[in-house]
Amino acid sequence: MSAQAQWREIVPARGLLRGFKAREVWEDRRVVSALVRREIMSSHKQSLIGVLWIVLRPLLGTVVFTAVFGQLAGLDSDGLPYAVFALSGLLVWNFVSAASLGAAGSIVNEADLVTKVYFPPILAPIAAAVTPLVDAVVTLVALAVVLVIYGVAPGVQIVTFPLWIAGALVFALGPGLWFCALNVKYRDAAPIFGLLVQLWLFISPVVFASSAVDGTARVLLALNPVCGLLDGARWALVDAPAPPPVDLLGALTAAILVLIGFLVFVRSQRAFVDVV
Amino acid sequence: MDLAVVCEELSKRYLLGEEHSPVTSMVELAQARLRGAGRRRTPREEIWALRDFDLEVQEGEVLGLIGRNGAGKSTLLKILSRITEPTSGRARIRGRVGALLEVGTAFDPELTGRENVFINGALLGMTRRDVERRFDDIVEFAGVERFIDTPVKRFSSGMFLRLGFAVAAHMEPEIMVVDEVLAVGDAEFQRRCLSRMSALGQEGRTVLYVSHDLASLAQLCSRCVWIDAGSARADGPPAAIIARYLEEGVPDAARLTVEQRGPIRLEHIELRDDEGRPTESVERGTPLRVALRIALRERRLRADAAVWILDERGRRIFDEALLDDLSRAGILDEPGVHELVLEVPPLLPPGRYVIGVWLGDEEDGTVLDTEVLRFDVPRGSTDRADAAKRVRAVSPVVRWAHDRL
């Protein structure tokens, strides 16, 4: 039976990546789908209107934003109907914030699991970040309806939308992993991160258009990866202007954050079980 | 025979102290740093759960691990299943490891039995096809056919445990590590689990089994290792090792107090004679009185204490809990020090016995579950010497009415 089985060595983790092996993470990838399925099935079982909740939140946000920022403040919306502009922005923003907040809380939320069953720990934040994709897809349907109502048609660049969402997922994992590792050691890391994400909304072009900002401010805005992601996703979904080259700065910030988050996470992951 | 598990000088250190307390806030940490003006605080207390532990397990061996609470048994299983990593030394394993450290881990109460089986199976490392192929076996083993599409929150605790064990027991790993999971179920559950584990052994799988139930361990295992203070103290045939463990391994209560760190602690335990004085032996025909002094650091919910007794062969012949009678619920919940005196009518045959204590509550489950003291029931002056050898569960002082007709 196990004549051909290989010896596996269990030793204290050393090195920069503390024995992190991408191959092992890939081999255990079904853990991600199991955790995602569990989360989705159980969170919609107990609610009366189930899937409607997912649509309701961005729709209500859109109504409020349209009234406050579109009508009262009269913010610029790239020449789009404000509701279209707001909902497409909220779709991306809600995904980024839910994905990184979910990832940040994941190990602590799954403490019972990670202390009893072995899988590469990074799968827990990945699963938590993937879960809000479902909400994004449902919101996409709502957006389609809104587009029909306002008579806005997306261009062929809509085929690039999955890329923007994939980018958003990868980026969200950066701060998510970082705060996830911190949160295991210091439980107030999660509320602090929650606060940061709330503030983050205001430096992201969700309610205002990035094109309404110029000069140095525009460069600073572009350093926020969410800016480029919003510009790109809006270009893909609602035919807003294509993201300008300056938005590439965000990719740089994102790369740095993801690298830091990943390193902090893998370098502390083996200690989670002993601390969490 | 080929080896399946090798441990070489395996060690695991846990640090205790501020930074590892479950809820540390950054503010507290910053304050501590400021007060200490950047200097390191007092060195943290360290505990070696395993120290230079060596072990070789043959393929197909069913190995029992015994030892007191905190001796390092669970740490060893956690290292072998890769949940935690060693501090130094190394372990080598050949084949897939399946770990059953807790029954029903990750079961979601809202989901149905079927959904939970598939999700739990995936978490334990089974592919969807693996689970599909074994699904009927799993459900049959658990005996929940009629309820499989019901949310598990409506399951009885027995059904829940059986389904949890069933999933894990059907993952068919080459090496299975099982930690004290059977303590929670009823007799029928334990019987099923033990027979499943012995089946795994007969299929040539390697099983590492931790249990306080020494009698089942003796029955199931082909070899037994006694772990004491993080290293292997004795290794050999189960009956011999268990006998030695019961003879030498029972701690004195004073040492035990130091080692406990939970919210509920056993401060003192003694046997008392008719006049309430401490004693080490119980005369035939007199009741057994076990006095427990239990300290609660804070208010608990449904705090409970149980006393169990093992005979010389490690069979659990007695096990009674305070809350076995629900009218007593709540009497141990207040913070402070409680004294409980358990009185057992005279029913033990002459011999040597070990008393164990279980403490726990609703929130934390088991806080303490370990052997704590040894006592003798000496032969009465008119007892026949060889009567003690007869196999019997109880031997109350009986009366034989006699008339010559």
Side-chain angles (χ1 to χ4, degrees):
Chain A
M1 172 182 59
S2 56
Q4 65 278 50
Q6 291 291 307
W7 282 102
R8 189 208 296 274
E9 199 160 69
I10 300 169
V11 287
R14 307 220 189 283
L16 179 67
L17 298 184
R18 295 284 191 277
F20 175 86
K21 290 196 184 68
R23 189 176 48 82
E24 285 179 5
V25 175
W26 179 246
E27 280 170 0
D28 277 342
R29 63 192 178 277
R30 76 178 75 87
V31 169
V32 171
S33 79
L35 290 176
V36 171
R37 267 184 293 149
R38 187 179 67 157
E39 182 58 33
I40 291 166
M41 287 198 272
S42 92
S43 63
H44 296 307
K45 252 190 190 168
Q46 284 271 292
S47 68
L48 218 54
I49 53 173
V51 97
L52 273 181
W53 280 118
I54 303 176
V55 196
L56 224 51
R57 201 164 68 108
L59 279 185
L60 281 176
T62 303
V63 170
V64 171
F65 284 5
T66 306
V68 176
F69 301 112
Q71 300 294 316
L72 286 177
L75 287 183
D76 181 57
S77 53
D78 275 337
L80 291 160
Y82 195 83
V84 169
F85 178 80
L87 184 56
S88 56
L90 279 172
L91 187 154
V92 176
W93 170 254
N94 284 347
F95 173 70
V96 170
S97 61
S100 54
L101 284 170
S106 61
I107 294 282
V108 168
N109 292 338
E110 297 290 358
D112 283 343
L113 191 60
V114 296
T115 55
K116 296 293 182 328
V117 179
Y118 174 77
F119 51 78
I122 202 167
L123 292 172
I126 290 178
V130 168
T131 308
L133 274 180
V134 178
D135 300 31
V137 170
V138 176
T139 310
L140 210 52
V141 177
L143 179 67
V145 175
V146 172
L147 286 184
V148 170
I149 292 170
Y150 283 92
V152 178
V156 287
Q157 68 271 27
I158 193 164
V159 297
T160 64
F161 178 68
L163 294 178
W164 299 107
I165 278 291
L169 174 65
V170 172
F171 161 64
L173 276 171
L177 287 173
W178 193 349
F179 276 88
C180 182
L182 280 177
N183 196 30
V184 174
K185 254 187 149 174
Y186 316 108
R187 290 298 148 80
D188 43 10
I192 288 174
F193 187 48
L195 211 65
L196 288 177
V197 170
Q198 275 184 8
L199 296 176
W200 193 2
L201 169 66
F202 297 104
I203 56 160
S204 305
V206 178
V207 299
F208 60 92
S210 65
S211 57
V213 182
D214 43 33
T216 322
R218 181 67 181 88
V219 176
L220 290 175
L221 185 67
L223 280 171
N224 174 4
V226 180
C227 174
L229 291 168
L230 279 165
D231 288 349
R234 278 197 177 118
W235 169 64
L237 288 176
V238 297
D239 205 17
V246 68
D247 278 352
L248 277 172
L249 279 176
L252 192 70
T253 325
I256 294 170
L257 283 173
V258 169
L259 190 70
I260 294 176
F262 174 74
L263 282 176
V264 170
F265 187 89
V266 295
R267 286 174 64 80
S268 50
Q269 65 176 4
R270 303 306 302 266
F272 289 160
V273 181
D274 302 339
V275 182
V276 75
Chain B
M1 277 302 258
D2 293 322
L3 290 171
V5 178
V6 179
C7 299
E8 291 159 1
E9 294 180 1
L10 204 59
S11 301
K12 174 75 186 179
R13 180 187 58 198
Y14 286 102
L15 296 175
L16 305 173
E18 283 175 77
E19 275 191 65
H20 285 248
S21 70
V23 184
T24 315
S25 89
M26 288 186 190
V27 180
E28 284 167 29
L29 193 74
Q31 284 169 343
R33 285 271 150 83
L34 284 176
R35 260 181 286 136
R39 264 176 297 126
R40 185 129 184 84
R41 295 183 307 278
T42 49
R44 275 181 273 151
E45 194 192 339
E46 44 176 61
I47 294 245
W48 287 90
L50 276 183
R51 190 126 209 199
D52 295 334
F53 182 81
D54 293 312
L55 180 71
E56 287 189 349
V57 187
Q58 307 281 349
E59 208 176 275
E61 215 167 12
V62 180
L63 177 75
L65 297 164
I66 59 173
R68 287 184 296 110
N69 273 22
K73 300 163 295 188
S74 299
T75 303
L76 175 64
L77 298 194
K78 281 194 170 178
I79 291 176
L80 293 179
S81 51
R82 299 208 295 157
I83 289 168
T84 188
E85 68 166 12
T87 307
S88 65
R90 68 169 185 166
R92 288 183 298 139
I93 45 177
R94 205 169 56 171
R96 278 202 313 162
V97 177
L100 184 50
L101 305 186
E102 188 182 79
V103 176
T105 303
F107 268 17
D108 190 302
E110 303 298 337
L111 303 188
T112 67
R114 181 187 305 274
E115 290 163 342
N116 269 311
V117 166
F118 276 94
I119 286 169
N120 211 350
L123 293 176
L124 293 173
M126 284 189 256
T127 64
R128 196 174 175 78
R129 207 155 357 111
D130 287 339
V131 182
E132 273 164 8
R133 192 157 50 79
R134 291 163 209 162
F135 187 78
D136 292 338
D137 291 341
I138 291 172
V139 175
E140 197 201 321
F141 179 93
V144 294
E145 291 90 340
R146 282 172 46 221
F147 305 96
I148 195 65
D149 290 307
T150 309
V152 298
K153 66 178 174 189
R154 298 201 216 292
F155 276 33
S156 71
S157 63
M159 284 156 61
F160 186 91
L161 291 174
R162 286 201 301 273
L163 190 61
F165 181 85
V167 179
H170 286 80
M171 57 184 157
E172 302 181 0
E174 280 86 35
I175 301 164
M176 177 102 183
V177 302
V178 184
D179 190 5
E180 196 68 70
V181 291
L182 308 184
V184 286
D186 57 15
E188 166 64 11
F189 170 73
Q190 296 182 7
R191 197 189 55 72
R192 282 191 195 212
C193 297
L194 287 171
S195 75
R196 176 68 196 162
M197 282 199 284
S198 93
L200 288 174
Q202 274 150 24
E203 288 167 18
R205 297 174 205 284
T206 313
V207 181
L208 273 71
Y209 175 50
V210 165
S211 180
H212 279 117
D213 182 1
L214 300 176
S216 78
L217 194 132
Q219 202 188 338
L220 183 73
C221 301
S222 51
R223 180 183 152 205
C224 181
V225 169
W226 169 14
I227 303 183
D228 189 35
S231 11
R233 175 148 163 195
D235 185 344
I241 303 298
I242 289 169
R244 233 187 105 184
Y245 170 64
L246 290 177
E247 192 61 33
E248 303 167 21
V250 176
D252 53 273
R255 194 170 144 208
L256 185 76
T257 316
V258 180
E259 287 169 7
Q260 295 177 78
R261 277 184 302 275
I264 309 172
R265 291 163 37 135
L266 177 65
E267 291 215 315
H268 186 70
I269 179 168
E270 67 186 18
L271 293 187
R272 291 190 183 157
D273 64 12
D274 281 341
E275 273 109 52
R277 288 177 310 220
T279 177
E280 279 171 8
S281 65
V282 180
E283 298 303 320
R284 281 276 282 163
T286 63
L288 169 70
R289 288 189 193 80
V290 188
L292 306 169
R293 202 158 71 219
I294 296 166
L296 269 73
R297 216 166 45 200
E298 63 212 45
R299 210 186 139 70
R300 307 302 293 182
L301 186 62
R302 258 175 284 249
D304 195 2
V307 171
W308 39 271
I309 300 176
L310 303 181
D311 69 6
E312 275 159 295
R313 290 174 222 186
R315 287 179 304 193
R316 194 179 284 228
I317 54 173
F318 176 93
D319 190 346
E320 293 294 321
L322 182 68
L323 301 195
D324 282 349
D325 181 343
L326 288 174
S327 71
R328 293 188 289 246
I331 70 173
L332 205 54
D333 288 1
E334 295 296 327
V337 180
H338 299 255
E339 185 179 74
L340 290 170
V341 182
L342 169 74
E343 186 172 310
V344 185
L347 38 74
L348 297 176
R352 308 209 79 182
Y353 296 92
V354 168
I355 287 189
V357 172
W358 178 94
L359 296 178
D361 70 2
E362 186 124 303
E363 191 190 334
D364 283 359
T366 298
V367 173
L368 175 80
D369 189 8
T370 192
E371 298 86 6
V372 283
L373 71 94
R374 231 184 351 254
F375 70 96
D376 288 307
V377 176
R379 200 145 43 86
S381 53
T382 57
D383 283 341
R384 204 170 74 196
D386 57 352
K389 293 208 173 67
R390 232 180 295 145
V391 177
R392 49 188 173 173
V394 294
S395 170
V397 178
V398 294
R399 199 167 291 143
W400 288 89
H402 171 243
D403 277 317
R404 195 148 175 227
L405 303 172

